[in-house]
Amino acid sequence: MSEQPRISRRKFVVGGGAGVAGLAGAAALGWNAGKDEAPASADGLPAPVRLPFHGTHQTGITSHAPAAALMASFNLVADNRDEVRAVFKALTEEFDTLMSGTPVPDRGEHYPPLDTGSLGTNPPPADLTLTLAIGASMFDDRFGLAARKPRELFTMTKLANDRLDQTRCHGDLLVNISGDSPDVCLFALRQVMRRTRANLVLKWMVEGFNRREAPKPGKAQVRNLLGFKDGTANLDPSSDALMGEHVWVAQGDGEPAWAVGGSYQAVRIIRMLVEQWDRAQLGEQERIIGRVKASGAPLGEQDETDDPDYEDDPRGDRIPLDAHIRLANPRTKATEKNKILRRGFSYSRGFDPAGRLDQGLAFVSFQRSLDDGFLAVQDRLSGEPLEEYIRAEGGGYFFAFPGVQRKGAYLGQALLA
Amino acid sequence: MPSTTTRRLAAVAIAAGLLMAGCAKDDGSATRTDCSSGSSAAGGSSAAGGSSAAGGASADCGTGISKDDVAGSTDDPLVQKAVDGYQTYVEEQVNGLVTDTKVFTDAVRAGDVEAAKAAYPTSRQRWERIEPIAALIGDTDGAVDSRAEDGVKDTESPEVTGWHQLEYDLWVKGDIADSKDLADGLDDELQKLQAGLPDLKITPLAVAKGASELIEEVSEGKITGEEDRYSHTDLWDLNANVEGAKEATTLLQPAIKKADPDLAKKLDTAFVEADEALAPYKDGNGWKSYEDVSDSDRDALKAKFSALAEMLGDVPGALKLS
Ligand code: HEM
């Protein structure tokens, strides 16, 4: 009953005929977004492609764990709904242009060039995605949208272990960008900002990365900065059934009609106290997470993809009852509805005044219900031993729009109609 | 404040020696330039990290005009008219600046703190209207408008001269008994600026760039409240930047209307919106303290001025200026 469809059955070709592999969760190499299969590069990683902008859902929610990513949160300066509409249209056009790799026109030597040029004249395929979400503040009294607020959306409040820095929280709009390298993401950000300067004022941003290893059957590719494999038991984003069950808002959910096909996005900028963590015994680290550090297997099991089998360990002798994975997903029938799609990335932002590295996880989860998803999981995690080594410093709750299905339509169109 | 951007605004054909003087102060050790502030902000503490709003000022130290642009000229009579008009405007401003500033420095010399405080923002108006151009003459910008870099040079360092040192004496120290030399120095420098005027020959590109760099000035220092951090009179400076940019743009508008009517219209609207965004903070003939500007209004100002900067960036293209 607690069996998880943890492994993607999706098959793909690895270069050189090395074979066929199925990958778990966030590690799945995302040909789940309707793009063509791509040949692998020399290091065994699939070659980057152009991901489609148009679709039922925004592509960047279910594409594979990005090698590079950033989130930029903006305050929206607009006097009325028409101005908001113009901004959403401009963002839609820019996202489409960037994701499709459309080169910008040459305006000659007297004008500033229309793009930054940092990717050369023809932007190469780079797994680029841009995804737009909005915060609860969009539903305040400015644009007359209060009655259309997704019913579970609210401004993130402080939790027990948080040290929230208000200058790194919330925002009217959240632009998620991911790609195969940091310069690609920064290029996209600069183009988006150029286009929308009259209305979007940057509030905070976080940039980061995921280590990607050559795919092996049934293994997560990513490790986070605590050194543990991340994404092993994540929902498989290539499974339409799982996404429909846990990620996309559906008709009948009691949500406003415009939100159907969209998803709640929880963002938590979680600092890791890495120096302290690096001094913790391996055994303690593994008991805190509930998995073997090297292999990613649940404690007492062999393989990364093995079931942690909590029924067989009711007192937590093998996997402590307060281990991160056990609290996050007790794998009972009752907690089935709490499953979330994680799509975070690691970040590093230098060091603090005490000389400690300022690193962490830009945690992102998408879910059909904020209450049943992130909030329920976070609630169970409250007080977990991992908290000694982490603290949330920023983030916010957002709602990612449904996809744009055809040219001429735009993100948020139904919300503003 | 002196910025690399303004220092690079070399599109003014002035004596080569003056140009070199403008570059020579690039050592910038005692003064704050936006390049140095950018790198220091990135240099470590999380509070100053580029990912927070505070660190977000994105001074592009690579912009501005190079010396190659100095020899610009135009065949367009409308543009030529704008250039002549702007030349006159700059001269008027510099001449008025010397007198305005004397009201301020006289008050300092007389030891009258209140009068000096009142004259401080007004004395800077004409400077702020033409700063990118004026900053090219001699070493004026560094001498009159620099500010101590926090933690690097003491605000009371003798190397820091000009308005902001006097601002510090007035608002922080509250004692101007020893400030007479600074006041004299400010007058001297501005007289040197005035004396350099005959060498100033403004090019078409300098008019266009002058406008957009004034708006850059707004984004670089004023919008963050850094420029007048003791007196909080930033809105005076900010408005003066806008006035200067508006003057240059208005002069160019007949030519822009002909070349790109759509851009001309957008510019008109953008200046009106910039004024509207500032209007709530007018206070009699002056401006309220920058501390009174709410966060959401700071956002609105950022947005309006960034939009304006983008549009002004297209003016040289529309007019095919080089
Ligand atoms: C810095 C903070 C965090 C770290 C280092 C971390 C680390 C991990 C690791 C190593 C795993 C096991 C591998 C995997 O299945 O992906 C995991 C699983 C998981 N984490 Fe976290 N996590 C963090 C924060 C969170 C937060 C804030 C949530 C949600 C509120 C969360 C929810 C989950 C879930 C649902 C699983 C899968 C559990 C399962 O199905 O077995 N994590 N996390």
Side-chain angles (χ1 to χ4, degrees), chain A residues 109-228:
Chain A
E109 61 166 339
H110 296 293
Y111 280 102
L114 281 176
D115 82 9
T116 72
S118 52
L119 299 181
T121 34
N122 285 309
D127 296 338
L128 179 65
T129 69
L130 292 106
T131 306
L132 184 63
I134 55 176
S137 52
M138 281 297 292
F139 301 92
D140 62 18
D141 53 12
R142 283 174 296 167
F143 312 119
L145 296 173
R148 303 187 185 182
K149 193 171 73 62
R151 59 190 183 125
E152 297 176 357
L153 190 63
F154 66 103
T155 304
M156 185 175 78
T157 47
K158 183 189 168 315
L159 302 172
N161 189 46
D162 293 359
R163 303 276 172 77
L164 297 182
D165 169 356
Q166 289 302 319
T167 67
R168 293 163 67 202
C169 292
H170 323 308
D172 291 330
L173 298 188
L174 183 74
V175 175
N176 296 268
I177 304 179
S178 68
D180 71 346
S181 68
D183 62 341
V184 166
C185 298
L186 289 173
F187 168 78
L189 177 67
R190 264 163 77 177
Q191 293 301 102
V192 166
M193 287 182 62
R194 252 181 111 156
R195 180 79 180 254
T196 53
R197 266 196 226 296
N199 303 93
L200 295 192
V201 178
L202 199 49
K203 186 167 165 62
W204 55 266
M205 64 182 273
V206 57
E207 290 168 77
F209 54 88
N210 282 307
R211 178 195 163 90
R212 293 185 63 205
E213 291 167 350
K216 294 194 199 78
K219 302 285 191 276
Q221 280 171 291
V222 172
R223 280 179 191 270
N224 63 39
L225 291 175
L226 295 187
F228 277 76

Side-chain angles (χ1 to χ4, degrees), chain A residues 326-371:
Chain A
R326 194 157 184 169
L327 290 173
N329 182 6
R331 306 196 185 212
T332 66
K333 196 159 189 79
T335 58
E336 185 69 11
K337 65 171 192 288
N338 303 139
K339 286 189 184 166
I340 56 181
L341 174 67
R342 286 172 288 141
R343 198 176 187 278
F345 52 86
S346 298
Y347 69 82
S348 161
R349 48 200 301 278
F351 56 93
D352 69 12
R356 296 174 305 181
L357 292 171
D358 186 352
Q359 306 186 337
L361 174 69
F363 175 92
V364 173
S365 69
F366 290 99
Q367 50 267 302
R368 181 174 175 176
S369 157
L370 191 61
D371 290 348

Side-chain angles (χ1 to χ4, degrees), chain A residues 75 77 79 83 107 110-112 165 167-168 194 197-206 271 349-353 358, chain B residues 43-47 49-53 260 296 299-300 302-304 306-307 310 313-318 320-322:
Chain A
N75 285 338
V77 177
D79 290 335
E83 277 187 42
R107 294 200 295 170
H110 296 293
Y111 280 102
D165 169 356
T167 67
R168 293 163 67 202
R194 252 181 111 156
R197 266 196 226 296
N199 303 93
L200 295 192
V201 178
L202 199 49
K203 186 167 165 62
W204 55 266
M205 64 182 273
V206 57
R271 167 110 185 246
R349 48 200 301 278
F351 56 93
D352 69 12
D358 186 352
Chain B
S45 94
S46 59
S51 49
S52 74
D260 185 346
S296 62
D299 278 351
K302 281 183 207 166
K304 299 295 175 212
S306 305
E310 288 287 321
D314 276 352
V315 170
K320 308 236 174 319
L321 300 181
S322 52

Side-chain angles (χ1 to χ4, degrees), chain A residues 47-69:
Chain A
V49 294
R50 292 192 208 288
L51 294 159
F53 169 71
H54 292 102
T56 319
H57 312 290
Q58 292 194 74
T59 305
I61 297 175
T62 51
S63 57
H64 60 73

Side-chain angles (χ1 to χ4, degrees), chain A residues 4 224 226 228-234 268 270-272 289 291 308 310 324-326 328-329 331 340 342 360-361 363 365 374 377-378 381 384 386 390:
Chain A
Q4 316 273 311
N224 63 39
L226 295 187
F228 277 76
K229 291 206 170 195
D230 200 336
T232 305
N234 201 7
R268 303 270 288 168
I270 306 176
R271 167 110 185 246
M272 296 169 171
I289 298 293
R291 288 184 178 271
Y310 300 132
H324 181 72
I325 62 163
R326 194 157 184 169
N329 182 6
R331 306 196 185 212
I340 56 181
R342 286 172 288 141
L361 174 69
F363 175 92
S365 69
F374 172 80
V377 177
Q378 181 61 58
L381 289 174
E384 64 171 330
L386 180 61
I390 61 172

